[in-house]
Amino acid sequence: MNAPILQARGLMRHFITNKPLFGAPSIVQAVNGVDFEIIEGETFAIVGESGCGKSTLARLLSHLIEASEGSVIYDGREISGLTGAELRDLRREMQFIFQDPFSSLNPRMTVGALIGEPLRIHKIGTPAERRAKVAELLRKVGLRPEHADRYPHEFSGGQRQRIGIARALATGPRIVIGDEPVSALDVSIQAQVVNILEDLKDEFGLTLIIIAHDLAVIRHVADRVAVMYLGEIVELGEAAEVFAAPAHPYTEALLSAIPIPATGARKVQTKIEGDPPNPISPPSGCRFHTRCTYVQDICRTERPQLRDMDQGRRVACHFADNMSLEGIRTDNQARPPAVARRFARYSAARASMTANTESAKLEKEE
Amino acid sequence: MTASKPLLDVRGLSIRVAGAARPLVDDVSFSLDAGETLCIVGESGCGKSLTALALMGLLEGTPLRIDGGTAEFQETDLLSAPQATLRALRGDRIAMIFQEPMTSLNPALKIGDQIAEAVCEHRDVSREAGRARALEMLKRVRIPAAESRLDEYPYQLSGGMRQRVMIAMALANDPALLIADEPTTALDVTIQAQILDLMRNLGRETGAAQIMITHDLGVVAEMADKVAVMYAGRIVEAGTVTQIFDDPQHPYTLGLMSSMPSLAGRSERLVTIPGTVPSPLDMPVGCRFAPRCPFADAACEAPPQLVDLEAGHRVACWHAPIEQAEPTPAWRETA
Ligand SMILES: Nc1ncnc2c1ncn2[C@@H]1O[C@H](COP(=O)(O)OP(=O)(O)OP(=O)(O)O)[C@@H](O)[C@H]1O
Ligand SMILES: Nc1ncnc2c1ncn2[C@@H]1O[C@H](COP(=O)(O)OP(=O)(O)OP(=O)(O)O)[C@@H](O)[C@H]1O
Ligand code: SF4
Ligand SMILES: [Mg+2]
Ligand SMILES: [Mg+2]
């Protein structure tokens, strides 16, 4: 097991939301005491409903915002204490990919200038070397060196997200954090970008932190997954284990809500009722107790700690030890043999379309 | 197939921007019986919303024109009927739900009054009766503490609650047809699951037929009796939900399904569809999927018709079933 590259210790961040017409301003505890470590080379995923604090956590980890309390430790050093050269190193070694490929790229810069910008900022290489590096990065993400002279608006969503990835990789980072990097993309384009991310991760030995609300994408890319609810981590563990046998009722509810694209998987009734509570006044005790099917008295008053279970699993539920919850069933998703053969045929035919052809076509369609 | 006439029978619907060379929606046909749910699925820009808007008579005021086709609904052709007829049908016999409820709810009006207004517009009833119906509908879509919600404004509700209000309003006049355009796309998966439950149950209770537009094949599997897969303005494959998921035929359908990461396990690389959707200005003349299709050959330079492969299962591909097709040897040469 590798050493942790990044650690969160009692991490908290609150925001003061708009002052109401009367009364005191309300405070949202967006991240409320989070502890975990990320191992060098792994893909670590953060999931949870809108507003649960995923983006805030990602921003804290990458030092884009300051923690209200607690600390982030990168490579043995606390990031809030970094200054000068050390802070620049951190900025170079930890990069961010944003969700929206449309608004995250400056429309007035060429693609070459956009990808080369981090190199210029960090004073890496001569101008000629930077151009060569940009060309190499473009190829790596499945675009072409000639694309360096074009502007972002000339590219499709998936291509723009590739530009964002190339830019994140320019400085040779050790950690890349993607905040919903494929959420804005259509399925067919999303798959292209997911493949590129995985290839690059293998090639460069990156540590990848991915936020996504699509649990199938997470199941596909992640080694480990942290499930958040209202600013807290409620479950953390190996992705395969968590999906197959969740240990927190919220994880079970989340998994049960995913519509599965296969016949025979149709659900009778959803396992989760109600809306997520207002984060300004979160429920007492276990924050999930208002929606939990297994709620007991103790849950309303006592906050469950994130406790260690078997196989590196951590769960914040009073009853984690004696519940057996339902994960994703996989036995009902097998394809009939004839159809499996048809998919294999598609896949083989797809593979015989050469990479060259692919970029030539991309070129043509712009 | 049923002997009686379908509730909605769309034939050859085409839509184009006035003056444009090629239609945006091209020769779309499908039919729907009472109580059935049809899902129209496809990626962004393939023409799902335009199809729905055309059926609702809502293309007025856009540069888009209906270029051909009929859509027979209870003795009325929705595509040629005068606006007055369509206005009377909309919100009454045919109701619609959009992705973003905020755009279709009036932010300045209490939700109880909005639903009551929708009722009074089409029924000769008193305000009180309208309000009573509003309350009944809010309860029906399982809004907690419905009485007190009647006097709240849309901004006071969560996204999921607003979508419930939209559904309550849409169903207030017992429509025969409900068209829902991505009703859950903006919602969290837990809330989506609740709304899908609700729509499925209400469909069953009221007998309303539903056209549900989505880009999520998971939602299709949850909801559909019938499915139409659209690509670049055309239906490329249509059939029962079982036919589409257990016997997909069109290379685009296969590609779409292969592109989806599986919840069942960490597979190897995803099998993707290369390239991107063609732009409406540069639509291939033949099969619109040909530039991205691993089976395309010279035959595909002519547009394939949507033909019956077996009862109710229609595919628009020259090489279906692809068991007999060869992968394109010409790929290298055309590059
Ligand atoms: N700058 C800010 N000012 C005030 N409140 C904020 C700010 N940023 C986040 N919040 C609040 O903090 C909470 C967590 O927000 P965050 O953006 O981290 O959630 P998220 O999990 O990323 O959600 P989503 O899936 O919608 O992106 C929310 O209640 C949000 O409204
Ligand atoms: N008012 C308009 N004028 C010109 N073109 C339009 C107009 N509205 C839509 N289009 C074009 O028609 C095509 C189909 O659009 P439509 O909105 O039906 O797609 P969709 O399948 O609903 O996509 P999405 O999943 O993104 O909602 C797109 O190429 C779109 O750019
Ligand atoms: S008609 Fe040709 S190009 Fe179109 S899907 Fe079938 S094989 Fe592919
Ligand atoms: Mg976020
Ligand atoms: Mg649409």
Side-chain angles (χ1 to χ4, degrees):
Chain A
M1 187 113 138
N2 292 330
I5 187 169
L6 199 64
Q7 287 170 274
R9 293 264 177 82
L11 206 52
M12 294 208 186
R13 170 70 203 215
H14 61 246
F15 293 105
I16 296 173
T17 62
N18 285 343
K19 235 179 115 64
L21 289 176
F22 43 85
S26 11
I27 292 173
V28 176
Q29 202 70 46
V31 170
N32 188 37
V34 158
D35 291 89
F36 60 84
E37 51 284 319
I38 289 169
I39 309 299
E40 175 131 45
E42 76 171 331
T43 299
F44 187 87
I46 304 169
V47 300
E49 284 167 284
S50 182
C52 72
K54 305 179 294 295
S55 297
T56 307
L57 179 56
R59 278 156 204 275
L60 288 169
L61 292 177
S62 52
H63 205 33
L64 291 174
I65 56 173
E66 294 282 345
S68 320
E69 263 177 69
S71 54
V72 175
I73 297 158
Y74 170 62
D75 227 3
R77 286 159 300 167
E78 200 173 303
I79 61 171
S80 62
L82 298 182
T83 51
E86 284 190 320
L87 187 60
R88 275 197 300 281
D89 283 350
L90 175 79
R91 293 268 175 257
R92 200 178 63 234
E93 291 171 12
M94 214 190 280
Q95 291 287 332
F96 219 85
I97 306 171
F98 294 92
Q99 165 169 5
D100 186 353
F102 297 91
S103 63
S104 60
L105 299 172
N106 182 339
R108 278 183 292 278
M109 285 168 79
T110 64
V111 165
L114 280 164
I115 298 175
E117 188 178 46
L119 296 170
R120 275 199 313 283
I121 292 173
H122 291 287
K123 303 196 173 57
I124 300 170
T126 63
E129 282 167 346
R130 279 182 221 144
R131 264 196 303 281
K133 180 79 183 172
V134 166
E136 182 199 327
L137 287 163
L138 279 168
R139 264 194 296 267
K140 285 255 185 299
V141 297
L143 297 171
R144 291 147 68 95
E146 305 88 270
H147 288 142
D149 300 325
R150 307 229 198 132
Y151 289 88
H153 71 86
E154 299 175 58
F155 293 86
S156 68
Q159 290 172 322
R160 282 189 241 200
Q161 201 52 301
R162 294 177 195 212
I163 295 166
I165 293 171
R167 182 179 149 96
L169 292 175
T171 58
R174 294 173 67 194
I175 302 183
V176 171
I177 303 182
D179 190 353
E180 309 264 10
V182 297
S183 306
L185 307 175
D186 261 326
V187 190
S188 72
I189 307 303
Q190 171 179 298
Q192 296 171 1
V193 175
V194 164
N195 280 349
I196 284 172
L197 274 175
E198 294 223 285
D199 292 348
L200 295 171
K201 179 181 170 326
D202 289 346
E203 185 175 345
F204 297 109
L206 295 174
T207 304
L208 208 55
I209 301 174
I210 290 248
I211 293 174
H213 60 255
D214 182 335
L215 288 128
V217 168
I218 287 198
R219 178 70 186 88
H220 184 76
V221 301
D223 298 309
R224 290 196 303 150
V225 58
V227 182
M228 285 186 81
Y229 189 76
L230 280 183
E232 299 177 354
I233 291 181
V234 296
E235 179 161 8
L236 189 155
E238 300 284 335
E241 310 279 335
V242 170
F243 275 69
H248 194 285
Y250 176 62
T251 314
E252 181 189 50
L254 203 57
L255 293 175
S256 81
I258 309 171
I260 294 180
T263 49
R266 197 171 281 204
K267 291 183 195 48
V268 186
Q269 196 69 38
T270 315
K271 284 204 175 139
I272 187 163
E273 288 294 323
D275 284 340
N278 184 345
I280 291 167
S281 49
S284 60
C286 173
R287 291 188 164 194
F288 186 56
H289 87 247
T290 52
R291 299 168 85 193
C292 181
T293 14
Y294 308 97
V295 62
Q296 305 279 326
D297 284 343
I298 182 176
C299 310
R300 301 193 179 91
T301 50
E302 260 172 65
R303 178 183 170 189
Q305 298 300 314
L306 193 64
R307 288 182 295 138
D308 286 322
M309 317 274 290
D310 289 348
Q311 295 169 309
R313 185 87 66 99
R314 272 181 252 166
V315 184
C317 167
H318 292 300
F319 303 102
D321 298 306
N322 33 26
M323 274 194 305
S324 120
L325 306 179
E326 203 177 322
I328 297 284
R329 283 185 50 200
T330 53
D331 48 347
N332 53 3
Q333 289 178 50
R335 290 178 172 132
V339 178
R341 279 196 297 278
R342 192 175 302 146
F343 274 98
R345 203 174 165 75
Y346 173 83
S347 169
R350 167 67 186 92
S352 73
M353 299 169 81
T354 62
N356 260 344
T357 317
E358 185 172 342
S359 45
K361 302 217 83 60
L362 285 175
E363 177 80 352
K364 213 176 70 194
E365 276 148 24
E366 274 148 27
Chain B
M1 290 270 101
T2 40
S4 60
K5 242 168 61 170
L7 176 74
L8 174 69
D9 193 8
V10 180
R11 297 207 182 170
L13 168 61
S14 295
I15 304 167
R16 79 169 81 204
V17 174
R22 315 285 312 280
L24 287 170
V25 169
D26 189 17
D27 198 16
V28 161
S29 303
F30 57 83
S31 72
L32 192 63
D33 288 327
E36 261 184 342
T37 297
L38 166 78
C39 283
I40 303 181
V41 64
E43 294 180 282
S44 190
C46 70
K48 305 181 296 292
S49 295
L50 290 190
T51 301
L53 292 173
L55 295 178
M56 295 286 291
L58 292 175
L59 292 180
E60 199 95 323
T62 73
L64 301 159
R65 296 292 165 265
I66 288 170
D67 201 35
T70 56
E72 202 172 324
F73 171 80
Q74 298 182 336
E75 314 298 322
T76 309
D77 176 16
L78 299 175
L79 302 184
S80 62
Q83 271 298 324
T85 313
L86 294 172
R87 239 191 326 271
L89 283 173
R90 274 200 301 267
D92 186 28
R93 303 291 77 228
I94 306 179
M96 190 152 177
I97 306 173
F98 298 92
Q99 170 172 342
E100 187 29 75
M102 263 328 235
T103 58
S104 16
L105 289 173
N106 182 342
L109 219 56
K110 292 175 183 167
I111 62 172
D113 294 340
Q114 295 197 43
I115 302 175
E117 199 166 272
V119 175
C120 297
E121 199 179 315
H122 295 281
R123 297 274 178 284
D124 187 18
V125 295
S126 66
R127 294 278 328 152
E128 289 68 44
R131 217 176 135 81
R133 178 70 175 162
L135 179 59
E136 184 192 336
M137 291 314 296
L138 289 184
K139 285 184 175 156
R140 199 118 168 229
V141 297
R142 293 188 259 302
I143 289 198
E147 286 86 353
S148 61
R149 297 288 184 180
L150 277 177
D151 293 316
E152 287 188 0
Y153 292 92
Y155 75 87
Q156 293 174 289
L157 304 177
S158 68
M161 284 297 163
R162 284 199 283 259
Q163 203 54 287
R164 282 171 196 260
V165 171
M166 273 304 300
I167 296 172
M169 191 148 88
L171 295 179
N173 290 321
D174 277 324
L177 175 63
L178 177 65
I179 302 178
D181 189 355
E182 312 247 12
T184 59
T185 303
L187 303 174
D188 269 317
V189 26
T190 55
I191 309 300
Q192 161 170 291
Q194 296 170 15
I195 299 288
L196 294 182
D197 278 352
L198 183 66
M199 293 187 65
R200 200 162 38 216
N201 292 337
L202 289 176
R204 222 173 278 142
E205 282 168 28
T206 63
Q210 300 187 29
I211 297 177
M212 177 132 177
I213 291 173
T214 176
H215 60 262
D216 183 339
L217 282 167
V219 171
V220 175
E222 290 279 338
M223 301 298 290
D225 299 311
K226 295 206 275 197
V227 185
V229 182
M230 281 186 84
Y231 182 79
R234 286 198 184 144
I235 294 182
V236 294
E237 181 163 6
T240 64
V241 69
T242 322
Q243 284 166 337
I244 298 299
F245 282 95
D246 293 350
D247 188 22
Q249 289 282 355
H250 196 280
Y252 175 65
T253 316
L254 292 168
L256 205 56
M257 290 181 174
S258 304
S259 300
M260 291 191 312
S262 162
L263 277 162
R266 188 172 192 170
S267 43
E268 327 70 69
R269 281 172 72 78
L270 297 173
V271 180
T272 60
I273 303 174
T276 49
V277 176
S279 112
L281 301 174
D282 190 23
M283 212 45 98
V285 179
C287 173
R288 293 181 172 191
F289 188 57
R292 305 175 76 188
C293 178
F295 299 101
D297 62 12
C300 310
E301 284 163 27
Q305 295 300 308
L306 195 59
V307 292
D308 265 15
L309 219 58
E310 55 173 331
H313 192 176
R314 297 179 296 155
V315 184
C317 169
W318 290 115
H319 297 302
I322 63 157
E323 275 77 11
Q324 281 123 49
E326 284 306 317
T328 319
W331 270 112
R332 246 164 267 258
E333 293 147 40
T334 55

